[in-house]
Amino acid sequence: AGRRHVPVPDDDAVIGIAAEMAGDLARPWKLAELAHRAGMTREHLCRRFRRVHGAPPLAWLTARRAERAAVLLLSTDAPVAEVGRRVGWDDPNYCARRFRAAFGVNPAAYRRRAPAVIRG
């Protein structure tokens, strides 16, 4: 059986860093910058972030970007490249690879599979 992550909800520094990243997904976040903002080493930030969110900061960010891209694909008619730019993946090929890694299908196929009722 796999390990189940039990979040540690009281780490204000880590929660604040996550909120900053979630609030600006398109920003090219760097681990060194995040650690500096939190007043920690990169290693310490990663350990604490994993304890709270179950993944290190940049892996967590990638998952949030993929989730937001999925929402945009289903709720807008924006081209896939534009959706990628909105979530911080400026290169359409990179966007497609990251999206496929998260959902098992490329962004265009994901959008095509969505019921028309979701897309309006």
Side-chain angles (χ1 to χ4, degrees):
R3 290 179 20 203
R4 184 170 169 258
H5 171 67
V6 178
V8 178
D10 61 350
D11 193 328
D12 292 339
V14 166
I15 291 167
I17 291 295
E20 283 188 65
M21 288 191 295
D24 190 2
L25 292 175
R27 183 177 176 160
W29 295 100
K30 303 288 184 212
L31 186 56
E33 173 193 2
L34 296 170
H36 179 75
R37 285 172 174 267
M40 304 174 206
T41 65
R42 292 178 302 196
E43 294 79 10
H44 191 66
L45 174 62
C46 286
R47 276 194 303 276
R48 285 175 58 178
F49 205 97
R50 185 183 296 273
R51 239 189 349 245
V52 173
H53 295 290
L58 298 182
W60 179 90
L61 176 63
T62 297
R64 300 299 78 75
R65 284 175 168 168
E67 290 167 359
R68 181 67 180 144
V71 168
L72 290 170
L73 288 167
L74 298 181
S75 63
T76 72
D77 290 328
V80 171
E82 174 60 26
V83 168
R85 282 191 293 277
R86 288 186 193 180
V87 301
W89 294 330
D90 293 338
D91 178 341
N93 292 320
Y94 184 76
C95 173
R97 285 195 311 273
R98 295 286 48 139
F99 194 89
R100 182 187 301 272
F103 293 102
V105 63
N106 71 45
Y110 183 86
R111 179 179 267 166
R112 282 192 305 272
R113 289 183 181 178
V117 68
I118 292 174
R119 293 186 298 169

